[in-house]
Amino acid sequence: MLSFVKSMWWIVKKHWYRYILVLFFSFIIPFINLIPATIIARLTQGIQDNAITYEFLIFTILIPYILTVLAMYLASTSRRLSQNRLTTTVYRELQLRYMENILVQDATFFERFQTGDLLSRALGDIATVKFSAGNRLLNILYELLTVIVTFIALILIHPILAVCCFLPLTLIFFANFFLRAKVKKNWKFVREKHAELSNVVLESVTNVRTIRAFSKEEENYRKNLQYSKAAYQVEHANLKINVIFQPMFQSIAAISTIVCYGLGAYFYYLDSEAFTIAMLIQFVMYLNLFQSPLTNIGNLLNNFYQSLISADRLNEVYNSKSTVIDNDDARELDNVKKIEFKNFSFRYDGDNSDVLKNINLTINQGQTIGIVGHTGSGKSTLVKQLVRQRPICEGTLFINNEPIESFEQETVRSRVGYVPQEHVLFSRTVEENVALGSIGSTDEDVQVAIELADFKKDIVNLPEGLDTVVGEYGVTLSGGQKQRLSIARAFIKDSDVLVLDDSLSAVDGKTEANIIDTLKKYRAKKTNIIVAHRLSAVMHADEIIVLDNGSIVERGRHSELMAKGGWYHDQFISQQMNKDKEAD
């Protein structure tokens, strides 16, 4: 429990006053709960003493009882309201910290955690921790206060009887102690299996068109069924443990009640003046107040053990730190006038060799650079360094003659428009997807960006024009349309540097030519970097570099590379011949 409190202490510190308010009501309610038993004992003693009068019933019984009920109602309602508000606040804080932490992570984080697992933590584990940090923890403290206050009241009535009734109830703590490890272990399996199931379901939904294209529906169904059964089995085992807990606690409480009645009657028989019927009734009522919290504590602890696993899973995300960190003296980047890779090498975590090897490349403002080469030669890895997805390994990447680490990540990325190979579109309208590229963009800005990306001709074929919802991941659009919509989003950003990472592969030759003409005309004074397999996309570039196995093996203008007769020359001739064959 202490480890859980320590891990959630950041919430407690931030909203301490809410916790204090709940604890205040939790402290006074146990004392109020003792009053009805005292009133009933007075009434019983009055009946035995034949002392019942009108004034006695009104002023000693009725009015105090009504005031007690009113106080109990106000205190309980205030406690519930305060606790519900606290739980809602905790839920919001957990979600905000979770999303804020994910949004600042670099690429290595998402290699460690699968998307389905992150969703499982965001939905299941946060909900579990919310109940414990906002409800269960405070409820355990409340029940403990009730136990302490009530046990003191029992001792004041009859110490020996109180101890004898308490002894059987200690079995609840021993049961919790022995079952705790099993509950935690099984709940860990539950969360892991749910995360695996989430991953499989997410893959099935995301890739449903591919599954259908290869007629793998039955195979995919069996895979989902397999993971679903595994999740069901561990969940079923967890429920068995829960089923054992509740009857066990109730049985122990029943034993304590039997002891109370048996010994209470015996002590009354020994000395009816020292231990009266009224005292026995008061003791029994206190014992009922005492037993219920102990049973509740057992159930709460069982659920609390489950939340410890969920808290650990959340802390794995909360404690994850990005490997790409701003320097303490990092400042804003106002513009990009020059980019320089100097003796730059890079390798991914776990790899035995460099993906990029001793890259030396200078890109001045207003230049268009083409990057080509075999698949896997390191083209995308090179341009991704500009958006700082991973830390610099060896060598230096300069911007305006200063290391890129000298500038804040956010401002560096704001100066670079990056269109990746995998085009990510959201389940929103065409207009909203384009407008995401620039905060505060107008309808006119969207129209211009769409025209620059040569997407205007497609608008007329969409059922609702710009208001057409493209569907999740852009499923309602073709590959070329998704590419051009992503390019439009980059155009509206109007950044100092535009990176097209193989972003013209799905468009036809005419559309490609139109977009290239746009780059020449509207981005003539800005930097453009084009990664391409189709060499026609980079023919106009001021410089073309050819990567092979992470190294620059050729560089120059189109005419210069053609004259060298190397890989670029052979690949260009091959592509032109294929183009001629397709035309025939």
Side-chain angles (χ1 to χ4, degrees):
M1 185 180 294
L2 291 177
S3 62
F4 179 84
V5 174
K6 185 178 179 180
S7 65
M8 293 294 112
W9 190 247
W10 60 277
I11 292 182
V12 177
K13 285 198 301 183
K14 188 173 183 178
H15 299 281
W16 60 268
Y17 54 93
R18 295 184 185 273
Y19 281 92
I20 293 296
L21 185 61
V22 176
L23 288 174
F24 169 74
F25 290 115
S26 298
F27 181 75
I28 64 174
I29 289 174
F31 290 97
I32 298 174
N33 287 337
L34 295 177
I35 299 176
T38 304
I39 295 174
I40 297 300
R42 289 177 184 174
L43 177 62
T44 303
Q45 193 63 46
I47 294 173
Q48 281 189 305
D49 297 340
N50 199 24
I52 301 298
T53 63
Y54 180 80
E55 290 79 8
F56 178 84
L57 290 174
I58 294 296
F59 296 104
T60 305
I61 305 299
L62 187 59
I63 292 179
Y65 197 84
I66 291 174
L67 292 176
T68 301
V69 171
L70 181 61
M72 191 181 300
Y73 170 78
L74 292 174
S76 298
T77 302
S78 299
R79 176 176 173 270
R80 288 194 187 96
L81 286 174
S82 302
Q83 195 161 335
N84 287 339
R85 287 174 182 169
L86 174 61
T87 303
T88 303
T89 301
V90 168
Y91 188 47
R92 183 190 65 198
E93 292 289 347
L94 290 170
Q95 285 182 317
L96 285 175
R97 186 177 182 185
Y98 190 84
M99 289 307 302
E100 286 172 356
N101 205 61
I102 284 179
L103 291 174
V104 298
Q105 296 298 331
D106 54 39
T108 56
F109 173 85
F110 296 99
E111 292 172 357
R112 289 170 50 210
F113 297 97
Q114 293 181 307
T115 306
D117 183 25
L118 291 174
L119 284 174
S120 175
R121 295 173 196 244
L123 299 176
D125 291 309
I126 284 182
T128 302
V129 172
K130 169 197 72 172
F131 282 118
S132 289
N135 270 332
R136 294 187 186 113
L137 182 62
L138 290 170
N139 286 343
I140 289 173
L141 293 175
Y142 166 69
E143 302 294 0
L144 282 174
L145 284 171
T146 302
V147 166
I148 293 170
V149 170
T150 309
F151 187 63
I152 293 173
L154 288 171
I155 290 176
L156 293 175
I157 296 175
H158 201 292
I160 297 176
L161 183 59
V163 172
C164 291
C165 292
F166 176 74
L167 288 176
L169 296 174
T170 58
L171 295 174
I172 293 177
F173 293 100
F174 286 109
N176 268 294
F177 178 78
F178 286 112
L179 288 172
R180 175 187 175 185
K182 188 170 182 61
V183 170
K184 287 184 65 177
K185 181 180 179 181
N186 203 68
W187 184 249
K188 183 178 181 180
F189 287 148
V190 169
R191 298 310 309 156
E192 287 175 353
K193 293 301 179 183
H194 275 276
E196 291 175 1
L197 180 60
S198 296
N199 277 323
V200 173
V201 172
L202 185 64
E203 287 178 358
S204 299
V205 174
T206 305
N207 302 310
V208 62
R209 292 198 295 182
T210 305
I211 292 169
R212 289 175 179 171
F214 288 91
S215 301
K216 294 292 183 179
E217 293 93 340
E218 185 64 29
E219 181 181 327
N220 186 70
Y221 170 77
R222 287 196 298 270
K223 182 179 179 181
N224 277 270
L225 185 61
Q226 176 186 347
Y227 280 89
S228 179
K229 285 182 177 179
Y232 166 78
Q233 288 170 353
V234 294
E235 186 75 57
H236 185 65
N238 190 58
L239 288 174
K240 283 183 179 178
I241 298 175
N242 291 335
V243 169
I244 292 172
F245 263 92
Q246 186 70 29
M248 181 188 299
F249 298 150
Q250 291 175 348
S251 300
I252 294 172
I255 293 173
S256 181
T257 303
I258 293 171
V259 171
C260 172
Y261 282 118
L263 283 178
Y266 177 70
F267 289 134
Y268 174 75
Y269 171 77
L270 290 179
D271 190 347
S272 60
E273 292 184 1
F275 190 70
T276 64
I277 293 294
M279 294 172 67
L280 178 60
I281 291 175
Q282 186 178 9
F283 191 95
V284 171
M285 293 182 70
Y286 283 171
L287 185 63
N288 289 333
L289 290 174
F290 184 72
Q291 290 174 343
S292 179
L294 283 177
T295 304
N296 292 339
I297 287 173
N299 294 326
L300 287 168
L301 286 174
N302 175 36
N303 293 325
F304 192 80
Y305 297 149
Q306 298 176 0
S307 66
L308 295 179
I309 300 300
S310 292
D312 289 341
R313 283 166 53 80
L314 287 182
N315 285 327
E316 286 181 358
V317 176
Y318 291 153
N319 297 330
S320 295
K321 303 299 181 182
S322 175
T323 54
V324 181
I325 305 173
D326 287 331
N327 292 339
D328 294 335
D329 57 349
R331 61 188 188 279
E332 290 187 8
L333 177 62
D334 296 326
N335 53 54
V336 179
K337 295 181 179 179
K338 181 181 178 182
I339 299 169
E340 182 181 5
F341 292 87
K342 189 171 184 179
N343 301 323
F344 188 90
S345 297
F346 177 84
R347 74 170 57 184
Y348 291 103
D349 293 339
D351 284 359
N352 297 321
S353 59
D354 291 339
V355 178
L356 297 174
K357 302 170 185 176
N358 197 34
I359 300 295
N360 288 281
L361 174 65
T362 301
I363 307 171
N364 293 310
Q365 185 178 20
Q367 280 190 315
T368 295
I369 302 296
I371 303 176
V372 298
H374 291 294
T375 300
S377 59
K379 302 185 296 297
S380 295
T381 301
L382 179 62
V383 295
K384 284 179 181 178
Q385 305 306 314
L386 295 174
V387 289
R388 299 203 64 190
Q389 290 189 357
R390 298 177 184 274
I392 304 298
C393 292
E394 184 178 335
T396 311
L397 171 55
F398 292 99
I399 293 184
N400 301 341
N401 297 318
E402 294 188 58
I404 193 172
E405 297 94 335
S406 304
F407 303 103
E408 296 173 352
Q409 297 175 55
E410 184 178 350
T411 58
V412 171
R413 290 168 183 157
S414 70
R415 295 293 172 182
V416 179
Y418 177 58
V419 184
Q421 294 181 28
E422 297 180 0
H423 305 284
V424 179
L425 299 178
F426 299 90
S427 185
R428 304 181 185 180
T429 65
V430 170
E431 183 174 10
E432 288 173 329
N433 269 283
V434 175
L436 283 172
S438 177
I439 298 175
S441 57
T442 64
D443 293 343
E444 184 179 351
D445 294 331
V446 172
Q447 292 283 0
V448 171
I450 286 175
E451 187 170 349
L452 293 176
D454 202 25
F455 192 78
K456 188 174 183 180
K457 61 188 179 184
D458 297 89
I459 298 297
V460 294
N461 297 321
L462 297 177
E464 297 180 37
L466 287 174
D467 295 324
T468 302
V469 177
V470 301
E472 195 170 8
Y473 301 107
V475 294
T476 59
L477 302 178
S478 68
Q481 288 175 324
K482 285 191 283 187
Q483 282 193 336
R484 282 177 285 136
L485 201 55
S486 297
I487 293 171
R489 189 163 56 197
F491 275 144
I492 202 173
K493 187 176 181 180
D494 195 28
S495 54
D496 295 342
V497 181
L498 175 62
V499 179
L500 300 180
D501 188 359
D502 199 22
S503 303
L504 300 172
S505 59
V507 301
D508 57 68
K510 183 179 180 181
T511 302
E512 177 190 283
N514 291 339
I515 295 174
I516 296 301
D517 287 341
T518 298
L519 288 175
K520 292 177 182 178
K521 182 177 180 181
Y522 291 95
R523 292 190 55 85
K525 296 181 180 180
K526 295 188 177 182
T527 305
N528 305 299
I529 303 174
I530 304 173
V531 177
H533 284 95
R534 203 158 56 192
L535 302 186
S536 56
V538 297
M539 288 173 57
H540 69 290
D542 298 302
E543 184 179 17
I544 303 168
I545 65 170
V546 180
L547 289 177
D548 184 26
N549 197 27
S551 299
I552 299 177
V553 294
E554 296 180 53
R555 64 195 313 160
R557 290 179 174 274
H558 171 72
S559 57
E560 295 170 348
L561 293 176
M562 290 298 292
K564 289 181 180 179
W567 179 89
Y568 183 90
H569 169 272
D570 296 341
Q571 186 71 8
F572 185 81
I573 296 299
S574 175
Q575 289 183 6
Q576 290 299 311
M577 291 176 64
N578 290 334
K579 184 178 179 181
D580 293 339
K581 288 179 180 179
E582 290 175 3
D584 292 339

